[in-house]
Amino acid sequence: MGYPKDLLSSRSIIEHGKYALIAPEGLVNNVIPGFENCTISILASPKLGASFVDYMVTMHKGGRNAAGFGGQENIETFVYVLEGKIKASTDQQEFTLEESGYLYCPPGTKMYLENVADEDARLFLYKQKYRPLEGKKPWVYSSHANHIEYRIYDNMHNVHIKDLLPTDLDFDMNFHILSFDPAACHPFIETHVQEHGAYLLSGEGMYNLDNKWVPVKKGDYIFMGPYVHQAAYAVGRESLTYVYSKDCNRDAEL
Ligand code: UGY
Ligand code: MN
């Protein structure tokens, strides 16, 4: 809501270190070196209390990152295509990604991105510090989520999940897609050490964040910090579906 039709108001909720619901209307453009002809918003970041950074990127016609995103010795990156068609590459490999296409780059591997269509491409982008494990090393991985079968989530026949990355110990995080049929819900309110950054791909629902229920819908972004209460009820006609990150495969550090 906003000027000139109404008073200024926002559905976004920011609780530093705990959780955040970020509605798309409040996002502003951030200039990030290396990204040309793109509109970018930083979503979660360490300033919000996240241990990772999530970005919403709109690549306009000719938009690209030719300098390479990530590539540092301890940084891993991931891109998920929400809309459009891009070329995503490393120094060795090249992938054409359309809606639901994604690419993971391990530490030390730069990710190059380029919009190859006339229309805008919209990307959900991520970077994180990789936590090494002796004898293990993650690898470049790309696929399309639409080609992966859903499996039943936690014995709930109206909730489905897919894993986007290999579940091997070499990887210290994964991206998943979780989908609730209308009226479906989590089996319980979760409280866990792992963090999430979630982008809502479809539907509407009530989301429990820190034990408070808030309405959410397609296009919203949710950051969930360690241990924050979290669960959803899907409402409406469409499935409530989101793509989200989750750290995994590592012990807690002292
Ligand atoms: O994998 C998860 O922890 C997931 N079920 N969390 C969530 O949907 N908020
Ligand atoms: Mn969770």
Side-chain angles (χ1 to χ4, degrees):
M1 277 302 178
Y3 181 84
K5 289 198 173 144
D6 213 326
L7 293 173
L8 304 187
S9 64
S10 169
R11 289 188 302 111
S12 298
I13 307 170
I14 309 295
E15 292 287 346
H16 286 258
K18 284 163 87 177
Y19 71 94
L21 165 65
I22 301 183
E25 308 83 64
L27 295 177
V28 299
N29 187 29
N30 305 129
V31 172
I32 299 182
F35 286 87
E36 302 163 49
N37 211 9
C38 294
T39 304
I40 307 188
S41 287
I42 296 175
L43 302 166
S45 76
K47 288 197 172 177
L48 184 59
S51 63
F52 55 85
V53 182
D54 272 339
Y55 308 79
M56 182 55 54
V57 183
T58 302
M59 290 201 140
H60 306 295
K61 189 177 176 189
R64 60 186 190 152
N65 185 333
F69 178 64
Q72 297 87 343
E73 277 319 306
N74 60 343
I75 302 294
E76 58 191 345
T77 58
F78 180 91
V79 65
Y80 182 94
V81 179
L82 299 166
E83 233 174 81
K85 186 174 177 180
I86 64 161
K87 191 172 83 180
S89 39
T90 67
D91 283 315
Q92 269 86 42
Q93 287 168 282
E94 192 175 297
F95 305 91
T96 299
L97 304 180
E98 300 189 70
E99 190 194 322
S100 94
Y102 59 91
L103 171 66
Y104 167 86
C105 288
T109 301
K110 274 191 180 175
M111 173 186 281
Y112 304 95
L113 301 167
E114 186 183 346
N115 184 3
V116 289
D118 287 343
E119 297 75 35
D120 283 356
R122 287 204 315 122
L123 316 175
F124 184 40
L125 185 66
Y126 165 98
K127 72 175 177 184
Q128 161 79 312
K129 266 190 201 154
Y130 177 74
R131 284 159 302 154
L133 185 65
E134 207 180 326
K136 302 289 177 191
K137 207 169 182 288
W139 52 90
V140 171
Y141 192 89
S142 178
S143 183
H144 278 80
N146 289 349
H147 303 162
I148 301 172
E149 293 281 309
Y150 271 123
R151 63 174 201 281
I152 287 174
Y153 177 73
D154 213 359
N155 284 324
M156 304 285 285
H157 288 257
N158 49 7
V159 185
H160 293 87
I161 190 161
K162 30 179 111 168
D163 305 327
L164 304 192
L165 295 178
T167 52
D168 306 56
L169 288 182
D170 306 74
F171 290 79
D172 70 342
M173 61 92 190
N174 209 325
F175 267 79
H176 310 273
I177 293 185
L178 186 58
S179 186
F180 299 83
D181 294 349
C185 62
H186 279 85
F188 55 91
I189 294 186
E190 301 175 5
T191 46
H192 55 64
V193 65
Q194 294 91 348
E195 296 172 46
H196 301 309
Y199 179 78
L200 274 58
L201 298 168
S202 75
E204 298 168 11
M206 292 302 291
Y207 216 100
N208 187 303
L209 292 166
D210 200 23
N211 238 353
K212 295 179 245 334
W213 292 98
V214 288
V216 295
K217 63 176 184 177
K218 177 180 176 174
D220 286 348
Y221 173 80
I222 305 175
F223 161 64
M224 293 167 242
Y227 302 104
V228 81
H229 294 81
Q230 53 193 266
Y233 277 111
V235 300
R237 289 154 295 245
E238 262 194 305
S239 64
L240 172 68
T241 304
Y242 49 88
V243 54
Y244 70 100
S245 59
K246 183 173 187 176
D247 39 306
C248 61
N249 292 338
R250 296 292 183 270
D251 193 3
E253 278 167 35
L254 286 173

